Amino acid sequence: MNVYKGIGVSDGVAFGKVLKINSAYVNYPRIQFDSAKQIPTEISRIKEARISIEEQLDSIMEKSVEILPEEMKSVFSSYKMFINDKNFIPAIENKVRELQINAEWALIIVIADLEKKFKAIQDPYISARFDDIRQLGERIMSHLLHKPHLDLSQLKEPVIIVCHDISPADSFHLAKAKLLGIVTELGGTTSHSSILARAMNIPAVVGVQNITMRILDDQTMILDGNLGEVIEEPSQDIIKNKLDKKERFRLYKSELQKLADHECALSDGHKVDIAANLDFISELEIINELKIDSIGLIRTEFLFLIEESFPDEQEQYDLYKNILSQTNYKPITIRTWDVGGDKPAYGFPELIEETNPALGMRAIRVCLKYQDIFRTQIRAILKASELGQIKIMIPMITRIDEVIKTKNIVEDEKKNLGIEGDNVQIGCMIETPASAFIIEDFLDLIDFISIGSNDLIQYALAVDRMNDHVADLFAPFHPAILKMLEKIVTSANRMKKYVSICGELAADPILQMFLLGIGDITFSMSPNHVLPTKSILRKVDRATCKKIAFQFMNKHSYEENNQYLQNLREQYMDSY
């Protein structure tokens, strides 16, 4: 019996036999031509692959209306964009001509070049877009090698899929197959393998290194999507324990679903305000199902992927209009372009080679320097605001003049468009120690604030949260972080300004209890965290939250806080 660790991305336990699927990248020919005579043939092969794959994607999209979950359908448009992007297929053709090599080898080189660019991107929602490129490349490779496409619809018995990764196009076939669970070598919480698994309500573990080399077909396996465990040839005791856990989890999910029609409230009836983060348009459906009152964070970076230019004013307006209409014109918060740093900056080549991107040109700094793209976004937002209430949220603010300049741009564009309504509010993200320490000065100028906990912790503790060597130092319950959070919330409450938290911490139940003990705040989170939040917070009242906040604020070390944190988790977290 061997136990392998990965990332649990879809809860639940699966037990069954393995079906292993190998990657098209495993074996491919590497041919260096002696002359340029073979080049036209290789270019033709690439063009044929492109046409064939576009036809396949069109066919899948047409046939998948009743089969694929909504979460996956939205991905195919990005596939179509990638295959037509000038940095992809033309780049492969150029490598063939430049190096006089075969199409398969050129494809690998282009994929590797793109991976280098994306490797520096720390934002999981943006970096996950490289999965689309790599998976599309694998589909091209399969066509070049004349390998058959994945089709598991004829499986006679349910299996646990073990593979390098799963593409959206493959998900069409997987959705028709009998699957117990999914294990992949690549991926994270936002990868399409994870989205597919959650949408199909099957357990999944991703990021299990070299699992396809360690596991054999037809072996017995247990995967635990909660713990991120994969167990090869488990013992009878392990099987019994895991199957008991599987049944408990099924009952837990059933109980959670009963909370969908109830508002989030503490045991004493105190209402807790919840908003949704929006990263994929397909999430609008669950936002409506859960009756979430507002969208507290729209990351506009998902509007563009590997394009060299930003979407134009009409494209942006259409998207914001679509979001408003699909949510029945609930209030939405649009974060302005947060590019640079660890996020793509394809329109600004000079930003790619920064020595220290996290401390360089990013977010509002980029927007104020390149005002043409900023003003385009502001105009699109202002036009959409005539349909419903919109909050404009400025990221990475560190100085008062950045707020003033942004407000002036908004006012200029309102005059240019002849818009006189008051459907727009302006606020900023508090995600640096600088903005936390001068919070009162900001609050004098703006309508609201939102705490970006990921960057706030990263900058305050000088810890790169994506660096494995210092990951254990990324400590949300560090006394310095809690004191900053207290200062931010109490300042906003005192000045009667709306405050929310929209980073990963927004969905942490113990942090929620701490903040509710400090004051009034809205939690903006991924929709799939809403029901667990309702379940846990109804176990405490406001007085208990105040006691928890008092205890945390009167401890003097991370070790003390961490011990208290573990005690609270044991006491209040749901178990199954």
Side-chain angles (χ1 to χ4, degrees), residues 501-520:
I501 180 169
C502 60
E504 293 300 313
L505 275 186
D508 185 305
I510 307 304
L511 196 280
Q512 291 168 350
M513 294 175 193
F514 168 80
L515 290 173
L516 288 168
I518 295 296
D520 295 322

Side-chain angles (χ1 to χ4, degrees), residues 186 314 394 418 471 541:
L186 296 185
Q314 187 63 43
I394 317 163
D541 56 19

Side-chain angles (χ1 to χ4, degrees), residues 427-490:
C428 62
M429 294 193 74
I430 304 300
E431 50 189 336
T432 65
S435 58
F437 284 121
I438 58 172
I439 185 70
E440 289 88 355
D441 297 327
F442 285 125
L443 289 167
D444 279 334
L445 296 171
I446 57 179
D447 301 302
F448 70 95
I449 56 170
S450 188
I451 303 167
S453 58
N454 295 340
D455 273 339
L456 182 63
I457 297 168
Q458 177 169 254
Y459 289 124
L461 300 183
V463 173
D464 179 354
R465 58 194 166 96
M466 301 299 287
N467 185 331
D468 291 340
H469 300 294
V470 294
D472 60 324
L473 300 179
F474 189 83
F477 287 85
H478 188 292
I481 302 301
L482 297 184
K483 287 177 181 178
M484 276 196 289
L485 293 176
E486 181 196 34
K487 176 178 175 56
I488 294 166
V489 174
T490 55

